[in-house]
Amino acid sequence: MTRGHVVLIHGAWAGNWVWDTLLEPLRNSGYEPHPLDLPGVGTWPEGARTDLDAVADVVVAHIVSLDGPVFVVGHSGGGIVATQVAERIPQRISGVAYVAGMMLPSGISFGDLCADLRLPEPVGISAWLQSTPDGSGTSVPPEAAAAVFFHESSAGDAIAAARKLLPQLETARLMAPAWTPERFGSIPRLYVEATLDRSVPLVTQRAMQDRVPGARVVTLDSDHAPQLSAREALVAALVDFCVVVGPRPVSAQEI
């Protein structure tokens, strides 16, 4: 019998494959992982404007189909989705974890945060983004992805991961969560910070921790993808969080 479900939310230009290295270790620790694919990545209909609500709908629908405790993990921009999901169904979620993730204040986008911190532009991967032919999305050249996202991994892992990235619809990337202290703010949180991150710089990670206080913090000397460069430490941090927080079994009928 599972100790709980771990719903894994990927970030921009990625897919459920970013969690592949964690699936077996999580199962071996007694948790059932659920790596999801989100809309707005890869291909989309002409004129599509997939927004945060539409992306969150996919995650919410999956969570309400599960029995037992649920922990939500968001990587990078997937943290915005994790926050929104937690705001919508706090009674179904035992804890939320951010992996170098965007744990943003309500109503604030990552761009807003960077501007408020007066960071030199462009931040992270922004300088290398290429527009899709229809102008509605962006893509990341593999060479830039390897250097910005995966630089602490082996060359083989970095190149393989960089080549898996797909175009991302901008309306499904440039998002700001809307949350309340009574709902999202009441849920236990973990922030896994990556000190060598070139995508979501450490200064922004710590600004989010300051502006959305209350999360437990684990520090990893990793790049933006500790799933590859610090897998064992990341799994340990996530499992320890789930154990400490403990199960919050709620049936789907309580939604």
Side-chain angles (χ1 to χ4, degrees):
M1 183 175 178
T2 182
R3 300 169 71 179
H5 302 280
V6 181
V7 174
L8 301 162
I9 305 174
H10 65 76
W13 309 291
N16 66 22
W17 57 267
V18 301
W19 303 107
D20 284 353
T21 60
L22 271 62
L23 302 185
E24 184 177 1
L26 285 172
R27 291 192 183 105
N28 289 343
S29 298
Y31 294 91
E32 184 58 36
H34 299 259
L36 304 184
D37 276 322
L38 303 181
V41 183
T43 59
W44 50 82
E46 184 176 354
R49 288 191 57 82
T50 302
D51 59 12
L52 179 54
D53 283 339
V55 177
D57 283 345
V58 172
V59 182
V60 168
H62 188 83
I63 290 174
V64 300
S65 73
L66 303 174
D67 291 325
V70 175
F71 300 87
V72 177
V73 183
H75 176 231
S76 189
I80 302 171
V81 182
T83 297
Q84 203 62 47
V85 169
E87 174 69 14
R88 285 175 55 173
I89 51 170
Q91 69 275 31
R92 283 295 286 118
I93 298 173
S94 294
V96 182
Y98 297 81
V99 178
M102 296 183 184
M103 187 176 69
L104 292 163
S106 184
I108 301 297
S109 70
F110 185 67
D112 295 333
L113 177 72
C114 292
D116 191 51
L117 293 173
R118 299 183 179 180
L119 298 183
E121 294 184 353
V123 176
I125 197 67
S126 299
W128 291 273
L129 295 181
Q130 299 176 345
S131 294
T132 56
D134 66 358
S136 66
T138 54
S139 61
V140 184
E143 299 83 357
V148 176
F149 296 149
F150 310 117
H151 51 90
E152 294 300 308
S153 297
S154 69
D157 284 347
I159 292 169
R163 288 176 174 169
K164 291 180 181 179
L165 297 178
L166 296 172
Q168 174 86 34
L169 190 64
E170 289 290 86
T171 56
R173 180 176 78 92
L174 304 176
M175 306 180 295
W179 56 267
T180 61
E182 296 78 19
R183 296 177 69 81
F184 163 74
S186 69
I187 300 173
R189 285 175 284 119
L190 169 71
Y191 196 95
V192 180
E193 61 178 25
T195 62
L196 306 177
D197 197 334
R198 296 174 181 170
S199 177
V200 180
L202 186 60
V203 64
T204 63
Q205 296 178 52
R206 291 187 172 169
M208 289 185 285
Q209 295 167 35
D210 289 340
R211 298 180 187 201
V212 188
R216 299 177 62 204
V217 178
V218 171
T219 301
L220 301 183
D221 290 328
S222 78
D223 56 21
H224 189 56
Q227 301 97 314
L228 291 178
S229 60
R231 181 189 73 164
E232 292 182 2
L234 176 57
V235 170
L238 294 176
V239 170
D240 181 65
F241 173 65
C242 293
V243 170
V244 170
V245 169
R248 186 183 180 185
V250 182
S251 69
Q253 287 72 29
E254 293 183 73
I255 299 302

